[in-house]
Amino acid sequence: MKALLDQNRTLQEKALSGLIKASKTLGLDPTRYENALKTIRPDLFEKRKRSAKKPEKKISSSSASSIEKHPPSRKRVRLLSSKVEKGGLKLSFSGRVDKKWIRHFILERRGRVLYVYDFKNVRIPFSIKRFKGGSFKEIRIAQFDPKRVRVVIEVKKAYNPKLEFKDKTVYITLPYSKKRAEKATTSERKKRGKQSKKVDATIPKYLKRYTVVIDPGHGGKDAGAVGVKRRKEKDAVLAVAKRLKKVLQKRGFKVYMTRERDRFVSLKKRTHFANRKGADFFISIHANAAPNRASRYKSKGLETFFLSPARSERAKRVAALENSADLSDLNRYTKNTLLNVLNREKIIESNKLAIDLQKQILSSLKRKYRGVVDNGVREAPFWVLVGAQMPAVLIEIGYITHPTEGLRLFNPNYQNLLAEGIANGIESYIYHSGM
Ligand SMILES: [Zn+2]
């Protein structure tokens, strides 16, 4: 067990270092991977800190290149006041806010539309502030985490907010209100136009509705793994997939399934289907099996895979298991094709999605169940993920061969918690990526 853990850690460490490097080359934010690496190898960062940061004591946790690019904007500012005036939300800060500090995304949920703005490097002296209004339902401002302030504008109908920056203030337009429009004279409007530089908020006019393709593994002649009491993987994963579909639909997602009943679907058709539907996410659901009868008590836990050509021995074994269903497809893909389809950015995104999913699934299950085992996020060459043009992952929801876990996979409560966890993971990814 110890040896296995050590081996896992080395693999994780390798994967994370690779991702940090790749993120940097692609101009993406490597912080999350660095933090993850920090938890398994804190010593690496101790050394780095000492060698890299001698002259600039004031500046914390930023690379040399970003210091050069934005010298004044690295310090933190405080949000001094927030007011609703002239059809907008006026936020006044103690210093200048860099446009790059702001991330925004939209959520649509049960007839509400939420415009979310996260301000990095900002602190507020209060815990939460709420505004109720006519043209909007509610505005909430809170310290989201030690480094970020989150502003949520909740409205009944989608609109097109604009951000305006002026010295130390940021102005976010609110939905159009007739009363207010009558009050505001033309001169007032002109004045505002001159004083502040308008910045396009790059929020799409239409509301983005995310599409998820759920792929319950196996089906029909292909039973997948067979576990405790001869129960089949294909049935467990279909049940979970159906529950996930319901949960996601309730939250406003558009959902398709590669199969809705017990039928065989080739691996290639599964991702083709997702591409055709223009899916934003491809979630393949599987259950794992112990390599032999003797190890069925030992093998348990959940893991989330993302597609990658890198092969560890363990990943190879799981991949061989999952890939075996459709050998004819496997032959069709040459190594070259695989490398062509895989682009690094997609791997990074799929990895991020896998991290969020794994985390949220575990926390959902642990709320009600004991002995839930985290086998982590791994890369593996799953053929079902090859060719997907969106972030794609494969979740092994547990070992169907384990005496306890195998039965849980058929328990409706357990299945619901799995579904909730997967949905939370997708939402968490959307939040993190600012999609
Ligand atoms: Zn499977």
Side-chain angles (χ1 to χ4, degrees):
M1 193 62 197
K2 171 88 169 58
L4 190 69
L5 281 175
D6 285 345
Q7 195 200 349
N8 283 349
R9 205 163 296 146
T10 326
L11 278 174
Q12 243 178 327
E13 196 188 312
K14 261 193 203 158
L16 285 166
S17 312
L19 283 160
I20 292 166
K21 217 169 148 190
S23 306
K24 281 179 180 165
T25 353
L26 291 163
L28 299 168
D29 182 13
T31 327
R32 297 181 65 204
Y33 303 120
E34 283 172 349
N35 289 340
L37 186 59
K38 221 180 263 178
T39 57
I40 49 172
R41 286 292 303 273
D43 52 311
L44 282 179
F45 287 82
E46 290 305 316
K47 266 182 234 153
R48 251 181 235 178
K49 242 188 252 162
R50 252 174 260 140
S51 58
K53 284 204 314 181
K54 264 177 203 160
E56 293 277 354
K57 265 276 158 75
K58 263 187 276 173
I59 295 147
S60 63
S61 72
S62 60
S63 66
S65 65
S66 66
I67 295 169
E68 280 158 29
K69 267 187 232 158
H70 329 282
S73 58
R74 265 291 152 185
K75 64 177 189 211
R76 296 235 191 125
V77 300
R78 273 170 300 125
L79 175 60
L80 299 176
S81 74
S82 46
K83 268 185 243 168
V84 173
E85 62 172 50
K86 290 177 192 158
L89 174 68
K90 187 181 172 190
L91 304 166
S92 307
F93 299 88
S94 62
R96 206 173 60 80
V97 169
D98 193 316
K99 240 197 293 180
K100 288 186 189 117
W101 292 358
I102 305 172
R103 290 192 105 183
H104 50 75
F105 59 96
I106 310 164
L107 291 174
E108 187 194 19
R109 214 175 272 173
R110 294 181 204 112
R112 299 175 304 152
V113 187
L114 308 176
Y115 291 90
V116 184
Y117 296 86
D118 281 339
F119 291 76
K120 228 167 66 181
N121 306 324
V122 175
R123 290 204 71 120
I124 47 172
F126 47 85
S127 62
I128 184 163
K129 193 165 179 179
R130 291 171 197 272
F131 297 95
K132 302 261 183 197
S135 69
F136 56 91
K137 260 185 109 174
E138 191 179 67
I139 296 173
R140 293 181 289 277
I141 304 170
Q143 189 81 47
F144 183 70
D145 63 26
K147 279 184 184 165
R148 272 177 296 177
V149 162
R150 172 169 287 190
V151 176
V152 179
I153 300 173
E154 185 178 333
V155 291
K156 284 165 216 151
K157 245 174 132 183
Y159 75 113
N160 192 18
K162 289 258 187 310
L163 286 192
E164 294 166 16
F165 294 80
K166 195 192 138 199
D167 300 332
K168 297 174 185 173
T169 65
V170 176
Y171 189 88
I172 308 173
T173 60
L174 291 168
Y176 180 77
S177 145
K178 263 188 186 163
K179 261 191 215 159
R180 211 174 280 129
E182 280 159 19
K183 268 193 206 164
T185 61
T186 23
S187 68
E188 252 181 339
R189 260 182 249 146
K190 259 186 210 163
K191 220 164 52 183
R192 208 172 68 206
K194 261 181 213 165
Q195 282 171 348
S196 55
K197 208 175 116 200
K198 276 212 173 161
V199 180
D200 187 26
T202 63
I203 288 175
K205 283 204 178 79
Y206 59 91
L207 196 73
K208 178 108 174 97
R209 218 174 150 208
Y210 301 99
T211 303
V212 180
V213 164
I214 309 170
D215 173 47
H218 315 278
K221 64 180 182 189
D222 169 21
V226 178
V228 201
K229 296 188 180 168
R230 307 292 307 155
R231 301 191 81 167
K232 298 176 181 108
E233 177 186 355
K234 65 174 184 180
D235 299 324
V237 297
L238 181 60
V240 172
K242 281 180 175 168
R243 289 175 198 277
L244 174 60
K245 183 184 179 183
K246 271 193 197 145
V247 173
L248 286 172
Q249 279 177 334
K250 261 193 206 158
R251 298 188 188 186
F253 286 86
K254 207 169 175 179
V255 183
Y256 297 100
M257 281 166 68
T258 53
R259 66 178 180 100
E260 300 252 7
R261 53 191 179 82
D262 185 15
R263 70 182 182 97
F264 180 79
V265 185
S266 76
L267 295 180
K268 205 178 77 178
K269 272 191 187 149
R270 295 174 190 251
T271 42
H272 278 194
F273 175 78
N275 291 343
R276 240 188 6 253
K277 295 292 180 195
D280 299 294
F281 301 97
F282 182 82
I283 312 282
S284 193
I285 301 175
H286 287 256
N288 219 332
N292 51 53
R293 250 190 98 72
S295 59
R296 71 188 192 281
Y297 288 95
K298 272 199 312 207
S299 308
K300 66 181 291 197
L302 293 100
E303 49 202 323
T304 305
F305 289 88
F306 62 100
L307 176 72
S308 154
R311 291 159 187 251
S312 68
E313 274 311 308
R314 188 194 163 96
K316 238 192 239 175
R317 190 188 69 74
V318 182
L321 212 66
E322 300 297 4
N323 287 334
S324 59
D326 203 346
L327 282 164
S328 56
D329 273 345
L330 210 133
N331 293 336
R332 238 172 272 153
Y333 288 104
T334 61
K335 220 176 186 175
N336 275 342
T337 327
L338 173 63
L339 292 173
N340 285 339
V341 200
L342 293 178
N343 74 58
R344 275 205 291 176
E345 195 151 2
K346 201 189 89 188
I347 296 176
I348 289 175
E349 288 314 307
S350 297
N351 186 11
K352 284 182 182 173
L353 175 62
I355 290 170
D356 285 332
L357 284 167
Q358 181 72 11
K359 197 174 150 196
Q360 297 294 332
I361 296 168
L362 285 169
S363 87
S364 175
L365 291 176
K366 281 178 177 170
R367 254 179 264 149
K368 297 258 170 71
Y369 287 88
R370 300 178 75 169
V372 177
V373 172
D374 178 7
N375 286 328
V377 166
R378 298 165 189 285
E379 21 187 339
F382 285 124
W383 297 101
V384 71
L385 302 178
V386 173
Q389 286 158 5
M390 66 292 303
V393 297
L394 187 149
I395 306 168
E396 295 280 0
I397 54 174
Y399 279 79
I400 200 163
T401 43
H402 189 274
T404 327
E405 199 167 71
L407 289 179
R408 279 181 181 172
L409 297 182
F410 291 91
N411 175 331
N413 293 323
Y414 197 79
Q415 291 174 343
N416 275 335
L417 289 174
L418 274 167
E420 291 281 342
I422 297 170
N424 293 346
I426 295 172
E427 284 199 315
S428 166
Y429 170 85
I430 291 171
Y431 164 68
H432 281 128
S433 69
M435 243 173 105

